[in-house]
Amino acid sequence: MAVLSKPVDGPEFGLSPIPVIDISDPESKNALVKACEEFGFFKVINHGVSSELVSVLEHEAVEFFSLPTSLKTQVEGYPFGYGNTEIGRNGDVGWVEYLLMNANLDFSSHPFLPGHLKNSETFRNALLGYTTLVRKMTCDVLEMINDGLGINPRNTFSKLVSGENTDSIFRLNHYPPCPLINTNTNGGNNVIGFGEHTDPQIISVLRSNNTSGLQINLADGSWISVPSDPSSFFFNVGDSLQVLTNGRFKSVKHRVLANSMKSRVSMIYFAGPSLTQRIFPLTCLIDNEDESLYEEFTWSEYKNAAYNSRLSDNRLQPFERK
Ligand code: AKG
């Protein structure tokens, strides 16, 4: 298990610099753009997603992770299914177990949970309801970002993640309390729950229970903790949105540290485009072709490259223009 020896920077509690965006106010469009430029990360409030539905899904996720391993591993597969400790196939490990599934529009027809699991129908319905609402919220936020950038039409980004053939995924993570952490070392003994990485997709939407652990990397290289807030959603810019904006938006590096006392349960919706979607800097955001920082690629090409890399690799580097 990866153990960090250096103390971790950033305020765990108290004033956090993380932008908080009220998406019920259309005027938040400029603050959204600023947050994507400066942090690649922001917290969303007044989102209208039912807290009851979120609670049902969290409850079902906790029930699932408390099943015996022999039952959980029946949902094993690659890339989708149950996983424990190993993240991907390239040697990354973390203090985490997870359930990863396809979250495309047709995902209600996917038998991703074996029917014999207790409550699998409730779980399936909660997953379906949650991903439907979060997909809608994601499109709303992308349209506000579009407005803030002054791009026409206003669905330029949202249409990439809302069509029939989009390639979105959903992940439930469970970080059990970690006995490897020595609580007497004043934070100098941190165990990695999920190693540092950026998300390859367009944008990701995270919600967690009340246990913190998520950290984001700032422009100056320091790490800050994200105070948990179960009633809000946290958005992070993915690599593909960084490319679409020609580097104006930052795909934020993030990681999760394990907690010695409490379980963390998080749910992340990764909004991706269709496999054949071409990704390149939008011409309306550059003055001429020469300014493009990236070579064009399809989402399928980039996804394959990401699946074959280590979590902490700079996955965009091979696509940067020389
Ligand atoms: C991921 O699953 O890609 C994450 O970054 C996990 C974040 C979290 O569990 O809070």
Side-chain angles (χ1 to χ4, degrees):
M1 192 62 52
V3 177
L4 296 180
S5 52
K6 258 181 35 191
V8 173
D9 299 326
E12 185 71 30
F13 304 104
L15 223 54
S16 167
I18 291 163
V20 179
I21 315 281
D22 175 355
I23 57 165
S24 68
D25 177 1
E27 286 312 308
S28 297
K29 63 185 182 184
N30 298 323
L32 272 173
V33 169
K34 192 161 178 275
C36 292
E37 289 171 340
E38 290 179 1
F39 291 86
F41 190 84
F42 51 91
K43 169 165 137 172
V44 157
I45 58 169
N46 291 334
H47 43 71
V49 174
S50 148
S51 57
E52 204 184 320
L53 178 61
V54 175
S55 300
V56 173
L57 182 53
E58 182 177 320
H59 174 81
E60 291 301 317
V62 169
E63 291 277 297
F64 173 78
F65 288 120
S66 57
L67 288 171
T69 305
S70 59
L71 277 183
K72 288 184 283 193
T73 50
Q74 287 182 15
V75 199
E76 222 157 25
Y78 183 81
F80 300 125
Y82 172 77
N84 192 339
T85 316
E86 281 178 24
I87 302 168
R89 290 195 157 168
N90 305 307
D92 289 299
V93 291
W95 190 261
V96 64
E97 58 176 342
Y98 57 86
L99 190 55
L100 187 62
M101 57 213 108
N102 164 334
N104 297 335
L105 284 182
D106 62 352
F107 109 127
S108 56
S109 59
H110 281 255
F112 55 88
L113 292 176
H116 64 271
L117 286 185
K118 191 165 123 297
N119 284 346
S120 67
E121 202 53 39
T122 319
F123 198 0
R124 194 187 304 262
N125 287 339
L127 283 164
L128 198 54
Y130 181 89
T131 49
T132 302
L133 291 184
V134 170
R135 181 185 299 112
K136 160 86 177 63
M137 171 178 60
T138 305
C139 289
D140 292 346
V141 166
L142 287 172
E143 286 173 12
M144 287 176 80
I145 291 175
N146 236 132
D147 290 345
L149 285 171
I151 299 175
N152 278 316
R154 101 176 276 263
N155 69 349
T156 301
F157 293 135
S158 64
K159 72 168 191 277
L160 299 177
V161 302
S162 59
E164 284 282 311
N165 300 319
T166 55
D167 183 39
S168 298
I169 56 179
F170 185 64
R171 179 175 202 123
L172 290 166
N173 288 329
H174 172 227
Y175 304 86
C178 180
L180 300 177
I181 299 172
N182 179 349
T183 45
N184 297 323
T185 54
N186 287 332
N189 179 16
N190 293 292
V191 174
I192 286 292
F194 208 114
E196 66 180 69
H197 64 285
T198 59
D199 292 340
Q201 288 84 0
I202 304 237
I203 205 159
S204 316
V205 187
L206 178 146
R207 186 265 169 197
S208 80
N209 68 353
N210 215 356
T211 303
S212 56
L214 178 65
Q215 296 191 323
I216 60 166
N217 198 233
L218 300 185
D220 66 4
S222 62
W223 289 96
I224 56 163
S225 296
V226 178
S228 59
D229 180 353
S231 64
S232 302
F233 291 92
F234 294 91
F235 278 65
N236 65 264
V237 169
D239 297 342
S240 299
L241 191 52
Q242 176 169 321
V243 173
L244 288 162
T245 58
N246 202 32
R248 181 162 162 187
F249 288 2
K250 302 290 170 242
S251 175
V252 65
K253 208 189 276 178
H254 53 288
R255 68 183 181 189
V256 179
L257 302 183
N259 189 297
S260 64
M261 312 284 279
K262 289 160 63 188
S263 290
R264 173 176 169 87
V265 177
S266 60
M267 36 188 89
I268 307 111
Y269 175 75
F270 301 90
S274 70
L275 289 173
T276 54
Q277 178 65 48
R278 292 156 56 230
I279 311 277
F280 54 89
L282 293 180
T283 44
C284 56
L285 294 179
I286 48 179
D287 288 333
N288 61 63
E289 240 309 270
D290 293 347
E291 286 178 18
S292 171
L293 298 175
Y294 303 97
E295 302 292 351
E296 178 179 320
F297 51 81
T298 63
W299 168 240
S300 166
E301 284 164 346
Y302 193 59
K303 182 177 162 173
N304 286 336
Y307 271 62
N308 287 319
S309 64
R310 295 291 301 260
L311 269 183
S312 63
D313 287 347
N314 179 353
R315 292 149 165 175
L316 273 182
Q317 197 183 21
F319 299 90
E320 284 169 7
R321 274 208 178 160
K322 302 293 173 277

